[in-house]
Amino acid sequence: MIFTGFKRKTNQIFFNKRIAELTENSTKTTSNKVKNIMVVIDDSSLKDAVVNELSQLFSISKDSIEILVVKSKKAKSEVVENSISPKDFGWYGKIKTEWLKEILTKKYDLLINYSKVENLYTNLLLLHCKVIFKVGFAHLDNRFYDLIIKCEPTEITLFNKELKKYLEILNKI
């Protein structure tokens, strides 16, 4: 139990040292159309609804949407597909799971963070992602995102409508 606190502290130190470097070196290109999306969410019950709504809103297939569910704690008996927890991160921000490494090596056109609460491990995940355009709620750390939408985290439909409006203005869809 005490090692969990040490691990969290080392990950926080890694995060603080690398935040400026990794946000400057992120892969940015201009005027790419959205073809594949990575979604970070902390409520697994909303997973199917979000995928359906995004596929209809952006007119893309459900296969091109990658969902990652962030859990603060994961029980051994609990099985949630594509879920990450602090157990998936090692010391100093290293990723331990192979499937997560594979997901993070792919390049995505859009990342949408639907997290309701700021989380160190979500932030570490965002540092490792290769994403062209990142979108999040206004209550989250704004250093990660290219577009921040101010609305309540429970208003996902409103968030998606505003997101579509701004992406049309930026010629991303």
Side-chain angles (χ1 to χ4, degrees):
M1 179 95 83
I2 194 163
F3 288 115
T4 305
F6 285 139
K7 181 176 157 186
R8 182 172 170 74
K9 187 66 175 172
T10 60
N11 282 324
Q12 185 67 47
I13 291 168
F14 168 80
F15 174 76
N16 291 340
K17 286 183 180 178
R18 301 283 309 265
I19 182 71
E21 175 187 330
L22 290 176
T23 53
E24 289 173 5
N25 294 337
S26 62
T27 57
K28 301 287 179 192
T29 59
T30 57
S31 72
N32 268 355
K33 300 290 183 185
V34 175
K35 296 176 189 126
N36 54 3
I37 301 173
M38 176 187 275
V39 176
V40 178
I41 194 165
D42 55 3
D43 186 5
S44 60
S45 64
L46 298 174
K47 190 169 149 178
D48 294 329
V50 167
V51 169
N52 290 334
E53 188 170 341
L54 287 177
S55 66
Q56 290 175 357
L57 202 61
F58 295 120
S59 301
I60 60 174
S61 69
K62 294 179 183 180
D63 296 333
S64 61
I65 300 173
E66 185 75 43
I67 300 273
L68 289 176
V69 180
V70 179
K71 297 277 192 180
S72 58
K73 289 185 179 182
K74 190 181 343 180
K76 291 181 181 179
S77 62
E78 183 181 20
V79 177
V80 178
E81 186 178 338
N82 287 351
S83 67
I84 62 170
S85 68
K87 294 178 182 180
D88 294 319
F89 292 90
W91 297 88
Y92 296 107
K94 293 187 178 165
I95 298 170
K96 295 187 328 186
T97 351
E98 289 301 318
W99 68 268
L100 185 57
K101 286 180 187 177
E102 182 181 316
I103 288 173
L104 294 178
T105 56
K106 296 178 188 175
K107 290 190 179 183
Y108 295 94
D109 297 323
L110 179 65
L111 180 135
I112 306 172
N113 187 358
Y114 289 110
S115 297
K116 295 179 178 107
V117 179
E118 190 74 30
N119 185 347
L120 171 65
Y121 297 102
T122 304
N123 292 343
L124 284 173
L125 179 73
L126 293 174
L127 284 177
H128 289 287
C129 287
K130 294 180 182 175
V131 179
I132 295 171
F133 198 77
K134 297 177 184 175
V135 181
F137 286 104
H139 71 277
L140 301 172
D141 190 354
N142 62 5
R143 296 178 286 183
F144 294 109
Y145 304 104
D146 301 310
L147 178 65
I148 298 172
I149 299 175
K150 184 171 182 164
C151 65
E152 293 297 319
T154 56
E155 298 173 336
I156 292 176
T157 307
L158 174 65
F159 180 86
N160 288 337
K161 286 180 184 176
E162 291 295 314
L163 175 61
K164 183 177 181 182
K165 180 172 70 172
Y166 286 113
L167 290 177
E168 285 175 347
I169 291 170
L170 295 170
N171 290 327
K172 297 279 187 187
I173 54 172

